[in-house]
Amino acid sequence: MTILRKFLLRHAVALAATAAALYLRLLLNPVLGHRLPFITLYASVAVAVWFGGWQAALLSALLGYAGAYRLFVRTETGSPLDLGGAGGVTGLLVYLASSFIVIFLGNGM
């Protein structure tokens, strides 16, 4: 398998895991509402780091945040960059810190 194919396969798995996590969170939306918007994304980051390394996991974490923010966090009246005050910024920082911990530990394994 060529280097390009390996690269594309690793990132395709990361994208598929992220899409599956967002879809699962969408299915849970009637129960969770706007609470825990990133809950399913940690598993997609773990799958991505296990299968594709830290680069694929970083892609999964960033795209997962963008998708969850668009689907579950952002209000229609807010701008695309409005994080919703201190709670939104805290949510972003906790998600990023948790994702980086998963990436760091997964890459070390």
Side-chain angles (χ1 to χ4, degrees):
M1 186 177 274
T2 66
I3 293 173
L4 179 60
R5 283 190 176 192
K6 286 182 183 179
F7 176 83
L8 292 175
L9 180 62
R10 290 176 179 172
H11 287 77
V13 168
L15 291 174
T18 304
L22 286 170
Y23 184 68
L24 178 60
R25 177 58 182 84
L26 192 61
L27 293 175
L28 292 172
N29 201 42
V31 176
L32 296 176
H34 288 289
R35 295 172 308 196
L36 304 172
F38 312 115
I39 193 70
T40 57
L41 294 173
Y42 300 113
S44 71
V45 173
V47 167
V49 75
W50 173 69
F51 193 80
W54 69 268
Q55 298 97 338
L58 184 61
L59 176 69
S60 176
L62 295 176
L63 289 179
Y65 177 80
Y69 178 80
R70 176 66 178 102
L71 292 171
F72 311 116
V73 176
R74 189 180 79 142
T75 61
E76 290 301 319
T77 58
S79 72
L81 299 177
D82 181 18
L83 293 177
V89 172
T90 303
L92 169 63
L93 293 177
V94 168
Y95 173 73
L96 289 178
S98 301
S99 293
F100 286 129
I101 290 170
V102 169
I103 292 169
F104 179 76
L105 292 176
N107 194 49
M109 294 177 111

